[in-house]
Amino acid sequence: MAATTSFAASVPSASSSLSKTLKSDSKSPSLNLGFLSSKAFKPLRARVLPPCDNVGGTGSALAARMVSTPLIKTPVPLDFETSVFKKEKVSLAGHDEYIVRGGRDLFHFLPDAFKGIKQIGVIGWGSQGPAQAQNLRDSLVEAKSDIVVKVGLRKGSKSFAEARAAGFTEETGTLGDIYETISSSDLVMLLISDSAQADNYEKIFSHMKPNSILGLSHGFLLGHLQSFGLDFPKNISVIAVCPKGMGPSVRRLYVQGKEINGAGINSSFAVHQDVDGRATDVALGWSVALGSPFTFATTLEQEYKSDIFGERGILLGAVHGIVECLFRRYTENGMSEELAYKNTVESITGIISKTISTQGMLAVYNAFSEEEKKEFETAYSASFYPCMDILYECYEDVASGSEIRSVVLAGRRFYEKDGLPAFPMGKIDQTRMWKVGEKVRSVRPPGDLGPLYPFTAGVYVALMMAQIEILRKKGHSYSEIINESVIESVDSLNPFMHARGVSFMVDNCSTTARLGSRKWAPRFDYIITQQALVAVDNGVPINRDLISNFLSDPVHGAIEVCAQLRPTLDISVPPDADFVRPELRQSSH
């Protein structure tokens, strides 16, 4: 077993001053503060509210509510053993977890990690396929390994041309038919869409060699199998490496980090089934080869629950919903369309995300004047429980298999069947708000991160904290909670949204995420409009317990630890960044 080292953040005392260095205007502020630490934790308690029998209520059916209570469900222990890499112990909010730190200086370990593997088959060329195939190939070349990385695609797929352009060819044995590639590979990375996995898993399993390894970057297939009382074949190992960001982010940060010992997207890993004792080292080698700054352990079941849930929450669906809601709110109250767009989308995807990424959520709050803090608190207090209401429902729909079934059925509606026409997903980017966004971005100065708008910040941070709370109550590890609710959002997805707009992301990310955003964004839009904004307009008092618990929540200290493990540079996304999925780009021609 490899050596284990330990570290934790040094948290300053509660009396540490919090310098105000950010300005709530449209200029890019200085971001040179270190992470701001949480204050001393205060006792957490239930607050019993009076019956909501007047129009001033928040609209919740519950009269008694808990306010950000401590963890109830203990996270599943996720220790692991590796004979190749060094694991490190980190303490997150009082819970010990283990990680493996990445870096190009570890590439020479890859031949040992991949011992017994002669060919890695990367199946699919959608969101993750291009990035993972290229990163793996480049890392193995640098490691002077003779392992072949081969891309497998459907016969007749238009993606063959893009794979060839990336250097994979039939002549070199690095590009071929999907099932021939599966049959000849020792490690099969199944990166086709979730609905395609659900419809084709039996044929895929039948083509896998005994004692080969099935690699997933999402646990969706397990959820689908569980809904039918099934599991994976017992003669193969099943692992997962799940980058906490979309494929273009995985590739872009890997390329950016070539000169500085690597940078990429954090990944979780899971070993669901290990037939010969190799699974953990293979999974960790895969993650290191992708360029993951650090890799943390999870289970395949916990991964798919948090990931599918997160896509519908703060990663995409909820952001889509709240920016449309707030844009409408601001313009109805007399704000110009351009300013309303800046104070919603530009604010969230720019300065708010940058501040959270580099300094944490408390830094956003402490950047405001006393008057602005009240506006933040008003928005936070009114939005927290409405957001939690939808998030709670969404999580249980995912955990029960309902949301997974919805994705599979939607995928089948993309094609004609039962005498009914095909209904592929349409685009959302033609409405007025997104046209205003195009205009705003066309004249935006380079480096402009937008205004730090207190009301928008209050709604967004309330959403983030509500998602953290749901995952915490459901027993997820802090590393998974922080990566799924904070890091993936502010370090991976939001920079692309800032470059091209939220609507562009909604129209071009993974099929499962796109479906989820279209289904759940309106729910967040409506509940903020119908409950949170009504509460604000009716002068419902700020819930001081919520604000106090936000300021003292232990998640801030855990985020501070994770910040020490973030990518070694910020992702650079030019305004013309092309992250359209290949099949969508082809269909638009």
Side-chain angles (χ1 to χ4, degrees):
M1 179 172 161
T4 301
T5 60
S6 175
F7 71 93
S10 174
V11 181
S13 67
S15 62
S16 297
S17 62
L18 301 172
S19 302
K20 178 182 175 185
T21 64
L22 306 179
K23 303 292 184 181
S24 56
D25 56 32
S26 60
K27 296 182 180 180
S28 300
S30 170
L31 292 173
N32 56 7
L33 277 181
F35 246 83
L36 300 179
S37 302
S38 57
K39 299 179 180 179
F41 302 155
K42 298 178 180 179
L44 305 178
R45 58 190 182 278
R47 182 185 183 199
V48 180
L49 302 179
C52 299
D53 55 0
N54 57 65
V55 295
T58 62
S60 172
L62 298 178
R65 294 174 176 165
M66 296 300 294
V67 290
S68 297
T69 55
L71 178 67
I72 294 177
K73 187 174 180 181
T74 303
V76 177
L78 294 169
D79 196 1
F80 57 90
E81 293 187 3
T82 171
S83 61
V84 177
F85 300 100
K86 182 177 72 173
K87 71 176 185 180
E88 301 178 26
K89 183 170 72 175
V90 296
S91 180
L92 301 176
H95 298 274
D96 289 340
E97 298 186 34
Y98 295 90
I99 66 163
V100 166
R101 193 186 299 268
R104 290 174 183 264
D105 58 333
L106 301 182
F107 286 177
H108 69 278
F109 289 120
L110 294 180
D112 290 335
F114 290 139
K115 187 175 181 180
I117 293 174
K118 296 181 179 179
Q119 179 174 292
I120 298 173
V122 178
I123 310 303
W125 197 262
S127 178
Q128 289 289 334
Q132 294 206 30
Q134 292 178 86
N135 287 15
L136 280 163
R137 177 195 61 195
D138 295 352
S139 297
L140 288 168
V141 167
E142 192 167 328
K144 296 180 173 57
S145 169
D146 58 1
I147 296 174
V148 174
V149 176
K150 183 175 182 178
V151 174
L153 301 173
R154 286 181 296 105
K155 288 182 178 179
S157 170
K158 296 179 180 179
S159 296
F160 270 94
E162 297 222 3
R164 292 187 191 105
F168 299 94
T169 67
E170 294 92 335
E171 293 76 14
T172 59
T174 57
L175 178 63
D177 169 69
I178 178 172
Y179 291 107
E180 185 280 326
T181 302
I182 291 173
S183 297
S184 61
S185 295
D186 305 295
L187 169 58
V188 177
M189 296 180 179
L190 190 61
L191 304 181
I192 57 177
S193 71
D194 293 332
S195 58
Q197 290 184 30
D199 284 340
N200 296 283
Y201 68 87
E202 290 179 297
K203 187 174 181 180
I204 291 167
F205 293 164
S206 71
H207 280 77
M208 291 190 66
K209 298 190 296 186
N211 298 318
S212 61
I213 303 172
L214 176 65
L216 304 168
S217 279
H218 190 16
F220 183 97
L221 183 54
L222 174 63
H224 178 69
L225 293 174
Q226 287 177 332
S227 69
F228 293 97
L230 302 173
D231 206 337
F232 296 94
K234 297 304 179 184
N235 65 342
I236 61 172
S237 293
V238 181
I239 64 174
V241 170
C242 309
K244 301 295 107 178
M246 62 181 186
S249 297
V250 173
R251 180 61 177 169
R252 185 157 186 82
L253 273 171
Y254 179 92
V255 172
Q256 283 181 246
K258 281 189 174 180
E259 306 303 322
I260 52 171
N261 194 32
I265 297 295
N266 299 333
S267 295
S268 61
F269 88 96
V271 174
H272 182 73
Q273 209 164 268
D274 187 356
V275 298
D276 58 11
R278 294 183 298 152
T280 296
D281 285 332
V282 171
L284 291 171
W286 174 7
S287 185
V288 168
L290 291 183
S292 304
F294 78 92
T295 304
F296 62 92
T298 185
T299 68
L300 203 53
E301 183 173 356
Q302 291 288 72
E303 190 285 329
Y304 83 72
K305 289 178 180 178
S306 65
D307 189 76
I308 298 173
F309 165 70
E311 291 171 345
R312 283 139 183 78
I314 199 162
L315 301 182
L316 191 63
V319 172
H320 175 195
I322 66 174
V323 295
E324 291 215 3
C325 166
L326 293 178
F327 177 83
R328 191 170 60 249
R329 164 82 168 190
Y330 296 159
T331 55
E332 287 175 353
N333 282 275
M335 191 177 290
S336 72
E337 290 182 327
E338 288 80 7
L339 186 56
Y341 187 87
K342 291 178 181 177
N343 284 335
T344 53
V345 176
E346 298 282 284
S347 183
I348 287 174
T349 63
I351 187 59
I352 292 174
S353 292
K354 180 69 172 180
T355 305
I356 293 173
S357 171
T358 56
Q359 303 173 62
M361 286 180 278
L362 291 178
V364 174
Y365 177 79
N366 284 288
F368 294 124
S369 66
E370 291 305 310
E371 183 177 348
E372 290 167 338
K373 284 181 179 177
K374 290 180 181 178
E375 190 173 352
F376 174 100
E377 291 170 356
T378 297
Y380 184 99
S381 176
S383 302
F384 182 85
Y385 284 114
C387 286
M388 180 177 278
D389 187 353
I390 303 300
L391 289 165
Y392 191 3
E393 177 187 351
C394 182
Y395 186 94
E396 296 206 325
D397 273 8
V398 173
S400 68
S402 175
E403 191 68 15
I404 290 174
R405 183 66 174 161
S406 176
V407 170
V408 173
L409 292 175
R412 294 171 183 170
R413 292 193 297 272
F414 295 165
Y415 309 97
E416 292 183 17
K417 67 170 187 172
D418 301 331
L420 294 171
F423 284 96
M425 282 182 281
K427 292 191 173 184
I428 71 163
D429 63 356
Q430 297 303 303
T431 60
R432 180 64 185 168
M433 176 179 182
W434 306 116
K435 290 299 182 183
V436 171
E438 291 178 5
K439 181 179 179 181
V440 169
R441 290 191 301 277
S442 70
V443 296
R444 184 174 65 195
D448 185 355
L449 296 177
L452 186 60
Y453 199 67
F455 195 90
T456 298
V459 175
Y460 183 73
V461 173
L463 168 67
M464 185 171 281
M465 289 297 297
Q467 179 161 315
I468 288 169
E469 186 72 350
I470 292 292
L471 290 172
R472 186 160 48 187
K473 287 295 194 294
K474 294 297 184 177
H476 290 263
S477 65
Y478 265 98
S479 56
E480 189 159 59
I481 292 169
I482 293 166
N483 276 276
E484 202 67 59
S485 302
V486 183
I487 295 175
E488 183 170 357
S489 177
V490 300
D491 281 338
S492 174
L493 300 179
N494 286 0
F496 277 89
M497 293 189 201
H498 195 67
R500 298 296 297 272
V502 174
S503 63
F504 195 84
M505 178 67 74
V506 171
D507 284 337
N508 292 287
C509 60
S510 73
T511 299
T512 300
R514 291 161 63 214
L515 286 167
S517 181
R518 283 160 172 76
K519 180 177 178 180
W520 291 93
R523 298 289 307 282
F524 286 99
D525 182 342
Y526 298 162
I527 203 165
I528 295 296
T529 299
Q530 297 164 357
Q531 294 189 19
L533 299 183
V534 168
V536 170
D537 290 342
N538 288 331
V540 173
I542 294 170
N543 183 333
R544 284 294 160 195
D545 287 336
L546 272 181
I547 303 303
S548 175
N549 291 329
F550 161 64
L551 295 175
S552 61
D553 196 291
V555 76
H556 300 303
I559 292 173
E560 183 174 2
V561 176
C562 288
Q564 300 174 26
L565 304 168
R566 69 188 298 273
T568 47
L569 48 75
D570 294 331
I571 191 167
S572 172
V573 186
D576 60 348
D578 179 13
F579 60 98
V580 180
R581 294 183 63 191
E583 70 272 23
L584 298 177
R585 179 161 54 247
Q586 291 151 4
S587 65
S588 66
H589 284 171

